[in-house]
Amino acid sequence: MNWNIEIGKQISMVLSVVVMVLMIVKYRKIGKENLFFIVGYVLLSLIDIFCYFYFRATNRSTEIFFVIGFLMIVFFLYLLYYYQLLYWPLLKKLQLILLILFAVNIVVMLYVEDDLLHHFSFNMLYTDILLLMFSIILFLYQTFNSDKILELNNYLPFWISVSLLILFIGSIPILYFRTTVSQHIYFFILFMLNLISNGILVLGLIWNKQERRG
């Protein structure tokens, strides 16, 4: 399979810029409820774009940016996003426990992993993904047992959750077998997951304009 990895990365960056522009355009309407996700998404996109050009210019490792920016800050913002969305007392307490576990995981990984800040930890990534998946499950449980289920098309947090589920659940198998598949297949699958995930975000942002205010 002759997938052009560079073109795939460039298309992904352009798509993320399109999503960021849509978020900025619609910020007054979506910003308050979805602020933590927006900040996390923009931060991750900017890290990805910066690291792409930084590596091409210097050929130096960019792992420290992904470890601190992605594994620590972005995932924290995503977990905080779901903490804010949850309003059932029990679910909110469970989400607080997930946030505490996230902090504990960082401390443990800093102790267990050698030179964590300069070495991307897939163990830490898998744990972060697991915590995020639990957060999304709590949110979906609350959503499907509330009036929000009647207006899912217009409920942006639902589409954000679907987008994150596809991106992260879909990426687990290919990340786990990353050393046994060719680079072309590895980056093609990640590209497709990114394409689908961002496509769902775009649809959610567009459909959100139909939301009716009381």
Side-chain angles (χ1 to χ4, degrees), residues 2 5 7 41 43 56 73-74 80 84 86 91 104 116-117 141 143 157 172 186:
N2 293 319
I5 296 173
I7 290 178
Y41 181 91
L43 178 59
R56 290 191 65 177
I73 299 177
V74 171
L80 205 56
Q84 173 210 315
L86 293 169
L91 299 186
V104 171
L116 176 65
L117 297 182
Y141 180 79
T143 301
I172 289 175
Y186 174 75

Side-chain angles (χ1 to χ4, degrees), residues 110-195:
L110 283 170
Y111 178 77
V112 172
E113 302 247 354
D114 294 329
D115 198 18
L116 176 65
L117 297 182
H118 297 90
H119 171 69
F120 190 87
S121 171
F122 282 93
N123 290 329
M124 189 172 180
L125 175 60
Y126 296 143
T127 304
D128 286 352
I129 291 175
L130 186 63
L131 293 174
L132 182 59
M133 293 305 103
F134 280 132
S135 302
I136 294 174
I137 289 170
L138 294 179
F139 165 74
L140 292 178
Y141 180 79
Q142 174 182 271
T143 301
F144 289 135
N145 287 278
S146 71
D147 292 340
K148 289 293 184 183
I149 195 172
L150 301 175
E151 51 182 31
L152 283 182
N153 280 356
N154 305 325
Y155 191 36
L156 183 57
F158 170 75
W159 294 110
I160 288 173
S161 299
V162 173
S163 171
L164 292 174
L165 281 173
I166 289 174
L167 179 62
F168 288 116
I169 289 183
S171 65
I172 289 175
I174 191 61
L175 290 173
Y176 186 78
F177 293 108
R178 66 190 179 278
T179 58
T180 60
V181 298
S182 71
Q183 269 202 332
H184 293 284
I185 294 175
Y186 174 75
F187 281 104
F188 175 74
I189 293 176
L190 289 181
F191 167 78
M192 289 304 300
L193 290 170
N194 187 61
L195 185 67

